[in-house]
Amino acid sequence: NAGVTQTPKFQVLKTGQSMTLQCAQDMNHEYMSWYRQDPGMGLRLIHYSVGAGITDQGEVPNGYNVSRSTTEDFPLRLLSAAPSQTSVYFCASSRLAGTSGRLDTGELFFGEGSRLTVL
Amino acid sequence: AQSVTQLDSHVSVSEGTPVLLRCNYSSSYSPSLFWYVQHPNKGLQLLLKYTSAATLVKGINGFEAEFKKSETSFHLTKPSAHMSDAAEYFCVVSDRVSDKLIFGTGTRLQVFP
């Protein structure tokens, strides 16, 4: 019953450093996504993917890269960390409706989050 | 464009009293609406969803929400609060054109003994 697993749970970086947040799901979900959560702003979509080899930008993609080489994994890369990227990051997955490429029920399954601090 | 507004950033209730968390939405289409709950240091979990079937939707842990098109509202209620309900709650609308989920800014519920 692992669901969506994120690592690491906590990370402190210096400005300019790079790192990768890992996300894995074992539910065979086609859709995977990354959100950031900041106080008073709800969750904002960074990048998402509707299947292996397919990624797209969300609302706040700048400063982040993603790739989707397998159905299970969807890592988020920060190439050169900035203090503005201090946040809590959530990975979420979901089923798609058949071959439509659209969300099935719309229910997202979330990981427990990764808290990132950039000094 | 679709949007969602949670009218209260904080709500405090006593254990055993009713809970009301307010959400208004803006949508050009018939929306899908969701409520998620986030307990401290945890990910979000779906409480309930509305997808154009019954307007009164029942969710987990005794929560329910009523879709009111005339008021563009989807308020979350529970008859009697429990200490374990203390969490942050997010109202979410699904944009049926872009298929994106748009999150409200959240309401933090405190429950006092």
Side-chain angles (χ1 to χ4, degrees):
Chain A
N1 278 358
V4 179
T5 303
Q6 289 182 233
T7 55
K9 291 192 184 304
F10 301 94
Q11 183 72 50
V12 179
L13 290 178
K14 295 181 179 178
T15 298
Q17 288 184 317
S18 63
M19 77 156 300
T20 300
L21 299 177
Q22 302 290 347
C23 176
Q25 52 93 9
D26 62 0
M27 297 173 282
N28 203 32
H29 286 168
E30 302 91 345
Y31 180 88
M32 295 187 75
S33 56
W34 277 101
Y35 288 85
R36 60 177 289 172
Q37 182 180 28
D38 301 293
M41 301 189 74
L43 272 72
R44 293 181 292 168
L45 182 64
I46 304 171
H47 285 286
Y48 67 99
S49 167
V50 296
I54 306 170
T55 63
D56 207 346
Q57 296 181 349
E59 182 185 354
V60 288
N62 292 341
Y64 308 95
N65 275 0
V66 292
S67 59
R68 184 94 180 270
S69 56
T70 67
T71 299
E72 294 79 17
D73 300 300
F74 191 47
L76 178 72
R77 296 183 185 85
L78 285 71
L79 301 177
S80 178
S84 61
Q85 294 178 303
T86 294
S87 187
V88 181
Y89 291 85
F90 287 97
C91 180
S93 71
S94 188
R95 289 193 314 269
L96 296 180
T99 57
S100 69
R102 298 182 64 83
L103 293 173
D104 184 12
T105 65
E107 177 179 1
L108 292 176
F109 294 81
F110 284 84
E112 294 200 339
S114 298
R115 184 176 295 275
L116 175 66
T117 301
V118 183
L119 303 175
Chain B
Q2 311 215 5
S3 65
V4 62
T5 302
Q6 292 184 243
L7 299 167
D8 307 291
S9 57
H10 290 85
V11 170
S12 297
V13 301
S14 297
E15 192 174 21
T17 64
V19 176
L20 170 64
L21 305 182
R22 298 183 295 165
C23 173
N24 285 356
Y25 69 90
S26 171
S27 174
S28 303
Y29 306 91
S30 180
S32 292
L33 292 158
F34 308 79
W35 276 99
Y36 281 81
V37 60
Q38 183 183 26
H39 290 281
N41 300 314
K42 297 291 185 183
L44 283 71
Q45 178 187 15
L46 182 68
L47 265 182
L48 52 79
K49 63 182 179 184
Y50 165 78
T51 54
S52 76
T55 56
L56 182 62
V57 182
K58 294 188 184 299
I60 62 173
N61 300 333
F63 284 94
E64 61 182 38
E66 186 171 7
F67 174 72
K68 292 187 176 180
K69 186 175 181 179
S70 60
E71 300 177 8
T72 62
S73 70
F74 189 58
H75 300 335
L76 183 70
T77 60
K78 184 173 180 178
S80 176
H82 191 273
M83 296 295 291
S84 61
D85 295 327
E88 186 144 20
Y89 292 80
F90 291 93
C91 183
V92 182
V93 63
S94 174
D95 185 322
R96 293 202 174 180
V97 175
S98 69
D99 207 28
K100 300 278 194 307
L101 296 175
I102 299 161
F103 285 76
T105 52
T107 298
R108 183 166 297 278
L109 175 66
Q110 284 186 302
V111 182
F112 293 103

